[in-house]
């Protein structure tokens, strides 16, 4: 369904040369994207390591953001809000896209995080599978 | 206090129409107005200025007729002592001053079992009792004042009701020399629709029997809060001729012998049985669940990461087992695919909701269709009975039916399940840790880093996590091992904010005498309802570490609000209005210090986090509370 919208007339063509990532960052904070995606895109629904393809191109991103723009809400929801043109313009969406693809998270390797490596080591050292003396 | 002698003051108790001071003013002001209290004739049409002053809480309590050697409240306290009530949590008040005085002065070891704990809000008092009961599987007492005390506490009582947690509430009543609005004919009626049982006895003997019954009702499934209204006069009358009755424990119903036989047979015949363990009643229930799992070698699912009194996660049988193709699944206080044993639901208590309010029962729940948190609609193999009482019967039947060949099969299954559970734990942990490394070095601090670094410091300690974690990232589920009946104390009951700090203090009251530490990962929005519970932690030197999840918002509402604004196609950039704590930011370290808790922060540099956590853990291990304000990712 997502990709069928790529062929819907009316979707704005990319104007990425004019996109402003600084504006995109302001939008990211101003319209509350950070609240679910986290500051720097490393939150509950991360964007810095997004692999679904929605950030693969401007067109895909715009299509997704407009996907349910006309839907009304009946119940309180934490789902992705619906971004119609009244909420955010095409130009602003491109600014936002440019900012999002610039996000980069390079966390340390697991073995370089002592607190996490300790958890793994403790689990491996667990003697719970020794049932020679069940009592 | 003002002189208690009627002869010295010349005050006629019957004739005196003034009122005593209100809540939290047990000690008289010593004002000249109080010392010159006039004698007011009966039937006076208008209050004198002195009476007005008493109505405004500036006067001490009225004199009693004569000194009493054995006041009724001494017997009440002795009864609580005999029940093993460790604490009476209270926002002090004149209608309960009799009980208060007996707690602090009566007996060879006054203010011990029970100890009087001052809560700075009645809601906090009941939340403390709630948290304690979840940690220990038994109640303490919340002592409240008349109408206004119960009203202040009503939110917390409602939550304990929904959480089916035992809390015994003693409510003082004084309709003689008192502010009239603070008394009523039927005080317990204020909260009747969301309590399990209540009584208003008219004699001291009745009060003593009622407290016993309130205790029994509170701990009998469906567990819940109970109320005894105690008139001030009964606390203060001479009770020399009254004896404290002996306590008779309740009889709690388990499965029938035939049901135990059938369940045992099904478990033994199964090639791959499974147990699903929810929240049992007491620590003893946890021990019996472990024993049952070991007898049949069953892989066992646990709720210990989110509920108290569940199966320990460090047990070899805790996990999915060697195969997910289970041929008999038994639920214990949870729904099991093939059979369940779940105690009666609170809705089965008849006649409480006399005005038809219908709290929590306006519509049918979508899922689950039956169980302790939903109206009961059991299936053919589902049994309404207490699982904790039932388990020993099933174990006994299993041993009766055991054969050597079945035992060999069980031994093999147990070894296979143990090895598989360990492998599953490692694989699941590696997956979770790989995912949750994101933003490790970012600011604000990632919630995963907070949970991971904290666990590194407490994993070898005896800890309790009283705060529900669905708003703070819930990383304890993936990272931590919940091994004790008090490891996690679960949800508030009705999802109401303001519960967590009070419940954490209650858990810390339980922890104080048991060499345990309490870890409260505290959402900022929740703290601001009743922050004064921090004072209680400081004053009583409770081993509680408060780590603020400071995301500077009612974040759940913020996400809802953004969604709504966007669907209305307007103003999503304004959706933070009214839902965030900005302009100014709240300084929780200063707040903690104001209440006497050693505090530091705010911390937004992840490199500073571990050292702060280390300071916090060391402080609470020495028996003092500590607060760390951490600026975190929203989730």
């Amino acid at each position: 369904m997502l990709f069928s919208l790529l062929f819907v007339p009316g979707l704005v063509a990319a104007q990425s040369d004019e996109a402003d990532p600084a504006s995109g960052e302001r939008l990211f904070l101003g319209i509350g994207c950070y609240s679910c995606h986290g500051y720097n895109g490393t939150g509950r629904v991360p964007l810095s390591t997004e692999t679904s393809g929605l950030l693969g191109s401007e067109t895909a991103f715009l299509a997704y953001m407009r996907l349910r723009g006309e839907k009304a809400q009946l119940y309180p929801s934490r789902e992705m809000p619906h971004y119609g043109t009244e909420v955010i313009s095409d130009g602003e969406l491109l600014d936002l896209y440019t900012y999002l693809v610039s996000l980069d998270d390079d966390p340390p390797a697991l073995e370089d995080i002592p607190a996490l490596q300790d958890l793994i080591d403790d689990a491996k050292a667990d003697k719970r599978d020794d049932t020679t003396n069940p009592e | 206090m003002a002189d208690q002698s009627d002869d010295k003051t010349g005050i006629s108790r019957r004739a005196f129409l003034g009122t005593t001071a209100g809540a939290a003013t047990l000690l008289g002001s010593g004002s000249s107005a109080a010392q010159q209290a006039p004698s007011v004739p009966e039937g006076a049409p208008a209050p004198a200025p002195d009476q007005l002053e008493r109505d405004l809480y500036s006067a001490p309590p009225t004199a009693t007729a004569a000194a009493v050697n054995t006041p009724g409240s001494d017997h009440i306290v002795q009864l609580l002592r005999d029940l093993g009530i460790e604490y009476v949590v209270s926002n002090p008040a004149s209608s309960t001053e009799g009980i208060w005085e007996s707690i602090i002065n009566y007996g060879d070891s006054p203010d011990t079992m029970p100890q009087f704990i001052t809560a700075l809000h009645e809601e906090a008092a009941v939340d403390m009792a709630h948290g304690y009961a979840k940690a220990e599987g038994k109640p303490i007492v919340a002592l409240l004042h008349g109408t206004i005390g119960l009203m202040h506490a009503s939110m917390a009582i409602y939550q304990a009701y929904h959480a089916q947690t035992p809390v015994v509430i003693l409510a003082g009543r004084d309709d003689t020399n008192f502010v009239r609005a603070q008394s009523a004919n039927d005080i317990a009626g204020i909260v009747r629709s969301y309590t399990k049982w209540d009584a208003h006895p008219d004699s001291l003997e009745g009060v003593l029997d009622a407290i016993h019954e309130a205790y029994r009702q509170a701990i009998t499934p469906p567990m819940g809060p109970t109320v005894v209204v105690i008139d001030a006069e009964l606390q203060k009358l001479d009770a020399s001729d009254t004896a404290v009755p002996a306590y008779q424990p309740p009889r709690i119903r388990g499965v029938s012998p035939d049901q135990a036989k059938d369940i045992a047979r099904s478990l033994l015949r199964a090639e791959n049985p499974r147990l699903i363990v929810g929240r049992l009643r007491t620590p003893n229930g946890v021990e019996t669940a472990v024993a049952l799992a070991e007898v049949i070698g069953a892989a066992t699912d646990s709720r210990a990461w989110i509920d108290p009194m569940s199966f320990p996660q460090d047990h070899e049988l805790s996990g999915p087992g060697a195969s997910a193709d289970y041929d008999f699944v038994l639920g214990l206080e949870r729904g099991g695919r093939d059979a369940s044993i779940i105690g009666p639901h609170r809705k089965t208590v008849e006649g409480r909701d006399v005005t038809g309010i219908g709290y929590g029962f306006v519509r049918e729940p979508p899922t689950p269709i039956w169980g302790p948190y939903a109206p009961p609609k059991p299936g053919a193999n589902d049994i309404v009975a207490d699982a904790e009482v039932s388990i020993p019967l099933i174990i006994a039947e299993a041993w009766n039916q055991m054969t050597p060949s079945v035992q060999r099969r069980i031994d093999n299954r147990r070894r296979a399940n143990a090895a598989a559970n360990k492998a599953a734990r490692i694989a699941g942990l590696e997956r979770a840790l790989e995912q949750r490394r994101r933003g490790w070095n970012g600011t604000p601090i990632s919630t995963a880093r907070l949970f991971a670094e904290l666990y590194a410091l407490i994993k070898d300690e005896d800890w309790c996590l009283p705060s529900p974690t669905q708003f703070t990232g819930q990383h304890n589920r993936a990272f931590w091992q919940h091994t004790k009946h008090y490891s996690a104390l679960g949800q508030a009951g009705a999802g109401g904010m303001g519960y967590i700090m009070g419940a954490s203090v209650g858990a810390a009251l339980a922890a104080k005498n048991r060499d345990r530490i309490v870890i409260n990962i505290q959402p900022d929005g929740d703290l601001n309802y009743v922050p004064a519970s921090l004072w209680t932690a400081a004053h009583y030197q409770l081993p509680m570490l408060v780590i603020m999840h400071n995301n500077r918002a009612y974040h759940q509402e913020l996400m809802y609000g953004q969604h709504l604004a966007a669907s209305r196609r307007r103003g999503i950039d304004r959706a933070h209005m009214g839902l965030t704590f900005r302009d100014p930011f709240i300084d929780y370290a200063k707040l903690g210090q104001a209440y006497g808790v050693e505090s530091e922060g705010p911390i937004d540099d992840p490199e500073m986090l571990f050292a702060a956590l280390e300071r916090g853990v060391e402080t609470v291990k020495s028996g003092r509370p500590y607060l760390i304000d951490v600026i975190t990712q929203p989730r």
Side-chain angles (χ1 to χ4, degrees), chain B residues 327-450:
Chain B
D327 49 1
F328 186 80
V329 180
L330 172 65
L332 300 171
E333 300 301 345
R334 278 172 71 190
R337 186 194 67 200
D338 299 298
S340 314
I341 305 171
I342 302 180
H345 189 267
R346 63 183 178 276
K347 199 177 184 186
T348 59
V349 178
E350 298 294 336
R352 298 301 294 171
D353 189 8
V354 294
T355 57
I357 296 173
Y359 288 121
F361 302 112
V362 173
R363 61 185 187 276
E364 292 298 314
T367 53
I369 62 169
W370 96 292
Y373 303 110
K377 291 182 181 177
N381 294 325
D382 298 323
I383 305 166
V384 180
D386 181 61
E388 180 168 323
V389 169
S390 305
I391 292 170
L393 305 175
I394 298 169
I395 292 173
E397 272 302 321
W399 284 121
N400 283 341
Q401 301 176 32
M402 190 70 72
T403 65
S405 63
V406 171
Q407 184 67 69
R408 281 191 295 275
R409 192 169 79 237
I410 288 173
D411 290 343
N412 292 335
R413 177 165 70 220
R414 182 173 174 175
R415 277 190 287 274
N417 282 336
N421 286 336
K422 178 176 174 178
R425 159 81 178 153
I426 295 168
L429 195 56
E430 286 175 335
R431 265 194 312 275
L433 295 177
E434 184 59 38
Q435 290 169 353
R436 297 170 201 229
R437 291 184 303 120
R438 63 177 181 270
W440 190 260
N441 291 324
T443 182
I445 294 171
S446 98
T447 52
R449 181 162 182 166
L450 190 157

Side-chain angles (χ1 to χ4, degrees), chain B residues 400-543:
Chain B
N400 283 341
Q401 301 176 32
M402 190 70 72
T403 65
S405 63
V406 171
Q407 184 67 69
R408 281 191 295 275
R409 192 169 79 237
I410 288 173
D411 290 343
N412 292 335
R413 177 165 70 220
R414 182 173 174 175
R415 277 190 287 274
N417 282 336
N421 286 336
K422 178 176 174 178
R425 159 81 178 153
I426 295 168
L429 195 56
E430 286 175 335
R431 265 194 312 275
L433 295 177
E434 184 59 38
Q435 290 169 353
R436 297 170 201 229
R437 291 184 303 120
R438 63 177 181 270
W440 190 260
N441 291 324
T443 182
I445 294 171
S446 98
T447 52
R449 181 162 182 166
L450 190 157
F451 275 81
E453 293 198 339
L454 176 60
Y455 190 61
L457 291 166
I458 65 171
K459 61 187 172 72
D460 296 324
E461 306 295 337
D462 191 1
W463 56 267
C464 166
L465 177 71
S467 36
T469 57
Q470 78 272 24
F471 290 160
T472 55
Q474 212 164 60
H475 302 288
N476 61 302
R477 185 176 188 182
F479 295 169
W480 298 15
Q481 286 276 279
H482 306 79
T483 63
K484 302 288 173 60
H485 61 263
Y486 46 80
S487 289
L489 301 189
Q491 307 295 320
M497 294 294 102
Y499 156 86
I500 294 173
M501 179 54 75
S504 297
V505 171
L509 286 170
K512 183 177 174 70
N513 299 322
R514 296 171 173 86
D515 291 325
R516 192 187 301 163
I517 61 173
V518 166
I519 307 296
N520 172 16
I521 301 174
Q522 174 69 55
D524 56 347
D526 181 278
L527 175 62
N528 287 305
Y529 289 86
V530 197
S533 294
L534 286 165
W535 177 88
T536 302
H539 179 74
Y540 295 99
Q541 292 287 276
L542 301 180

